[in-house]
Amino acid sequence: MEFEFDDDPSRIQVDAVWQWLSTEAYWGTTRTRADFEAQLTSAWRVVGVYRRDTGDQVGFARAVSDGVNFAYLADVYVRAEHNGQGVARRMLSLMIDDGPGAGFRWTLFTRDAHTLYERFGFGAPDETAMVRPAAQR
């Protein structure tokens, strides 16, 4: 199957991304749709993955940044039926290595896919990192 990788925010299929994040993402279920749409609108960069034959969106990644030297990677997903085809790797390459933040310090929070993120230089925080956990809702 052929895929298109695109960083055009106007191409994001909001309904498809919201459906996935609000039902399948362990980190996305506490947000409202309005919250997600605000995050999407204010995102520094987004990358979508689309099937060439149907145009359906099958992957997504969002980043927040100061635009100078720091970026936070969020909401990364690829629909399960497309896992193992290199889609996530290519999507993250476009987001991180081939984009305007290639030289930035990147962070993310995840409980899975560590091997994938390690390919892009992510690892355990160093002595300069501290984290303040979110308040319990």
Side-chain angles (χ1 to χ4, degrees):
M1 181 171 302
E2 301 255 339
F3 299 98
E4 290 182 72
F5 298 79
D6 197 344
D7 62 355
D8 180 356
S10 69
R11 192 167 176 196
I12 298 299
Q13 297 168 8
V14 178
D15 290 338
V17 176
W18 171 247
Q19 172 63 31
W20 193 90
L21 287 174
S22 65
T23 61
E24 297 187 44
Y26 66 85
W27 68 89
T29 58
T30 61
R31 277 183 262 190
T32 66
R33 172 129 182 184
D35 290 338
F36 168 67
E37 288 182 9
Q39 290 173 323
L40 191 58
T41 299
S42 66
W44 169 69
R45 185 167 161 78
V46 294
V47 173
V49 183
Y50 310 89
R51 287 179 53 159
R52 282 196 192 275
D53 59 348
T54 65
D56 292 341
Q57 185 160 2
V58 301
F60 176 79
R62 175 177 66 89
V64 178
S65 176
D66 64 4
V68 178
N69 62 5
F70 174 82
Y72 174 76
L73 182 62
D75 295 334
V76 176
Y77 85 87
V78 173
R79 291 181 54 102
E81 62 267 27
H82 302 293
N83 286 341
Q85 299 175 38
V87 175
R89 184 177 34 77
R90 289 170 42 206
M91 178 175 64
L92 292 176
S93 183
L94 177 58
M95 173 64 86
I96 298 168
D97 293 334
D98 301 334
F104 288 8
R105 181 178 188 177
W106 285 79
T107 61
L108 82 146
F109 292 97
T110 186
R111 70 177 185 205
D112 53 18
H114 291 107
T115 303
L116 169 66
Y117 296 114
E118 286 169 352
R119 292 180 186 164
F120 293 92
F122 287 91
D126 63 23
E127 66 280 354
T128 67
M130 297 177 71
V131 176
R132 179 178 182 241
Q136 297 296 318
R137 292 183 183 197

